[in-house]
Amino acid sequence: MKGNLTPLLSLIPVGILSYFYSLTSFLLLAIIAFCLAALLLVGIVKAFRPNLPQKWVRAPFLVAVVCVLGVLIGMLRPLDPAVVNSGGVSDKLAYAYKTDQADRMTVGAYLGLFQNNMAKRDSIRLAQVKQLYLDEQIRLPIDKFHAAFVFHHSKKSEFFEIAQKLAGEAAAVRELKGDYVVQWLARATYDRWMVSLGKPEKYGTQDKFSISVE
């Protein structure tokens, strides 16, 4: 009885952590992978030693089950709204940047079942930031950085060009010269823009991604 109760009790803290901290799900996925590898190894050993204690199979299996349930619980957490319409320009851009990054720290962002929702949220952010850009309201260096990140996650060459312009301007400001992420974005947006035009990247920052050249 105690052996059956322990995994059930362990699901409580695992579920809580997974629900409130999105990065927990990635740790759980790593544990699941380890458990599956352990089960495969145990299966091989069991082929030569049929009398191997059952606990060597049961333990990694139960841990994997708890972790899978933890990941599923984490996916039940509702996402914050993609954008806010209150506050100033800096508030809107900072929030759009925050949710852009938060979305990409969830397991759902990498599962096909949730891809449409993530694309919709990206388009909502892009629409807001694009309008602010067209209205020439993006002036502060940090605002340019936040806006560039949203443009950077679009799918069109024209937006990559805008992202590179904004990121480059932000990276050139003295107070942001020591910020690694700002400097990286200036290079990454240039590479992504070049690749979208069918040209070679300069800084080697890009993985494969789909784009629409316009």
Side-chain angles (χ1 to χ4, degrees):
M1 180 66 181
K2 182 179 179 181
N4 295 325
L5 189 60
T6 300
L8 183 61
L9 292 177
S10 65
L11 179 60
I12 297 174
V14 169
I16 292 174
L17 288 173
S18 184
Y19 187 85
F20 288 103
Y21 302 98
S22 57
L23 292 180
T24 302
S25 293
F26 292 99
L27 175 60
L28 295 178
L29 288 175
I31 296 174
I32 292 170
F34 177 80
C35 290
L36 293 177
L39 286 171
L40 178 61
L41 180 61
V42 170
I44 295 173
V45 173
K46 199 171 180 62
F48 297 95
R49 294 183 58 187
N51 295 326
L52 191 71
Q54 191 64 22
K55 66 179 181 179
W56 291 101
V57 176
R58 186 172 179 274
F61 174 76
L62 289 177
V63 171
V65 169
V66 169
C67 290
V68 168
L69 292 175
V71 171
L72 293 176
I73 291 172
M75 292 172 63
L76 295 176
R77 180 186 182 185
L79 297 173
D80 293 329
V83 298
V84 291
N85 295 310
S86 59
V89 173
S90 294
D91 297 323
K92 294 175 181 177
L93 291 172
Y95 184 87
Y97 168 75
K98 175 185 173 183
T99 59
D100 174 276
Q101 295 300 287
D103 283 3
R104 285 164 172 79
M105 292 182 183
T106 61
V107 172
Y110 305 94
L111 298 178
L113 183 63
F114 299 90
Q115 288 297 308
N116 288 338
N117 184 47
M118 291 298 169
K120 181 179 179 180
R121 289 171 62 81
D122 278 343
S123 67
I124 292 172
R125 280 187 287 265
L126 181 62
Q128 184 187 60
V129 175
K130 178 184 176 183
Q131 190 59 56
L132 292 173
Y133 176 78
L134 293 175
D135 292 342
E136 298 183 351
Q137 296 188 50
I138 305 176
R139 301 187 184 94
L140 298 178
I142 193 63
D143 289 349
K144 292 179 179 180
F145 165 71
H146 290 153
F149 233 113
V150 175
F151 278 118
H152 171 69
H153 284 147
S154 66
K155 298 293 182 182
K156 296 183 179 180
S157 181
E158 62 177 300
F159 296 139
F160 298 150
E161 182 178 5
I162 297 173
Q164 202 287 315
K165 175 180 180 294
L166 293 173
E169 291 174 357
V173 177
R174 183 174 61 181
E175 57 263 33
L176 295 178
K177 282 188 177 292
D179 190 307
Y180 170 80
V181 179
V182 173
Q183 299 303 317
W184 171 85
L185 185 63
R187 296 190 294 271
T189 50
Y190 180 84
D191 278 352
R192 181 158 290 196
W193 178 33
M194 289 297 102
V195 172
S196 74
L197 296 174
K199 299 180 180 180
E201 56 184 303
K202 181 178 180 181
Y203 302 104
T205 61
Q206 298 302 291
D207 295 320
K208 293 182 179 179
F209 64 98
S210 61
I211 52 89
S212 173
V213 179
E214 293 189 359

